[in-house]
Amino acid sequence: MEKLTAQEEEAMLVLWQAAPCFVKDILAKYDDPKPPYTTLASVVKNLERKKYVKAKRYGNTYEYTPLISEAEYKRMFMKGVVHNYFENSYKELVSFFAKEQKLSADDLKEIIDMIEKGKE
């Protein structure tokens, strides 16, 4: 799948929460300053072209529904980050956050517990 721009990602975050919805519904969820309606409509059309959403026509407007779940997107996104920045190693990713002091020892213990419970 094609990578999303920051604007597309922002629109998808709203779509995952509000779907199915119309562009006006997405726009209503944005903080001020809101983008122009036409700009957001173009962003959503790009998401449709990239096969992230599908559109259902109602008269002269479209209702949008995601074709990919937020969890699927996270998996795909993180896979790319790990591949491109951490030598395809999740261990390197965790090590990076530990070195940057973004993960505490308690956090790491909790992660280990999650991994061990997943093996059961």
Side-chain angles (χ1 to χ4, degrees):
M1 295 190 101
E2 278 186 67
K3 189 173 182 174
L4 297 181
T5 66
Q7 286 180 316
E8 291 166 343
E9 224 172 79
E10 187 176 13
M12 281 303 298
L13 288 169
V14 174
L15 265 157
W16 282 316
Q17 302 303 314
C21 58
F22 300 90
V23 173
K24 66 178 180 72
D25 300 323
I26 299 169
L27 189 60
K29 301 271 187 190
Y30 273 63
D31 292 331
D32 288 327
K34 296 178 189 303
Y37 179 93
T38 53
T39 301
L40 183 57
S42 294
V43 168
V44 175
K45 278 291 180 196
N46 283 340
L47 289 168
E48 182 182 10
R49 182 186 54 77
K50 290 180 175 183
K51 307 273 191 258
Y52 280 88
V53 300
K54 69 177 177 179
K56 185 174 182 182
R57 187 177 181 152
Y58 291 98
N60 64 348
T61 190
Y62 293 89
E63 180 182 61
Y64 294 96
T65 306
L67 289 172
I68 181 172
S69 72
E70 188 173 2
E72 288 174 278
Y73 182 74
K74 283 179 187 178
R75 266 192 298 281
M76 183 180 69
F77 176 79
M78 286 308 299
K79 194 177 204 179
V81 168
V82 171
H83 175 75
N84 293 329
Y85 297 100
F86 297 100
E87 302 169 16
N88 218 21
S89 167
Y90 286 90
K91 178 181 169 189
E92 289 294 323
L93 172 81
V94 172
S95 174
F96 170 80
F97 285 112
K99 287 176 188 169
E100 293 292 313
Q101 298 177 355
K102 302 293 183 191
L103 280 174
S104 68
D106 288 339
D107 292 335
L108 289 171
K109 287 175 188 169
E110 191 175 326
I111 291 168
I112 291 167
D113 289 343
M114 283 190 249
I115 291 169
E116 289 174 347
K117 285 180 182 172
K119 289 181 182 179
E120 295 173 359

